[in-house]
Amino acid sequence: LFDGDRKRTLPLMPRGIGIVTSLGAAALHDVVTCLRRRAPYMPVVLAPSAVQGSQAPAQLVAALESLYRLASDGTIDVILLVRGGGSLEDLWAFNDEALARTIVRSPVPV
């Protein structure tokens, strides 16, 4: 799943960015602030999801899959999967195999 040959090239000038994260995440604020400053013209689509806890892996998968549909019609061409730091337990949702396999299936760079 992590072979370098699977990596997709980031677009030089994305047409749109999809973001998967929690609505209450400080990391979301950081990303939105940076995008407003550096690329205020960039369309952004938010797919909210829990980023920690037992429900997070399934929600992350569902959020990514909703953005994949937008990628197929050209609305977005890159996805940011965003969360801040935390303890190992807080980050554990990102160690989920189904999530990893969903990311590998992405039609655009994640």
Side-chain angles (χ1 to χ4, degrees):
L1 293 178
F2 299 102
D3 187 87
D5 291 339
R6 290 182 177 271
K7 292 189 180 215
R8 292 176 180 83
T9 303
L10 291 172
L12 184 60
M13 294 296 293
R15 292 180 307 253
I17 297 174
I19 301 175
V20 176
T21 194
S22 169
L23 290 174
L28 174 60
H29 177 265
D30 294 344
V31 169
V32 169
T33 299
C34 182
L35 287 172
R36 281 187 186 148
R37 186 176 66 248
R38 293 183 175 205
Y41 51 85
M42 183 67 58
V44 174
V45 178
L46 177 63
S49 172
V51 293
Q52 64 187 54
S54 62
Q55 302 300 312
Q59 287 185 24
L60 290 163
V61 166
L64 284 167
E65 288 176 346
S66 72
L67 290 178
Y68 294 172
R69 288 187 286 279
L70 294 176
S72 69
D73 71 13
T75 302
I76 62 169
D77 51 5
V78 67
I79 296 172
L80 303 176
L81 181 56
V82 178
R83 77 148 287 131
S87 68
L88 180 61
E89 293 80 14
D90 289 344
L91 297 169
W92 199 253
F94 290 85
N95 288 333
D96 184 80
E97 182 179 351
L99 176 59
R101 291 190 180 281
T102 299
I103 292 169
V104 167
R105 285 194 329 266
S106 177
V108 296
V110 176

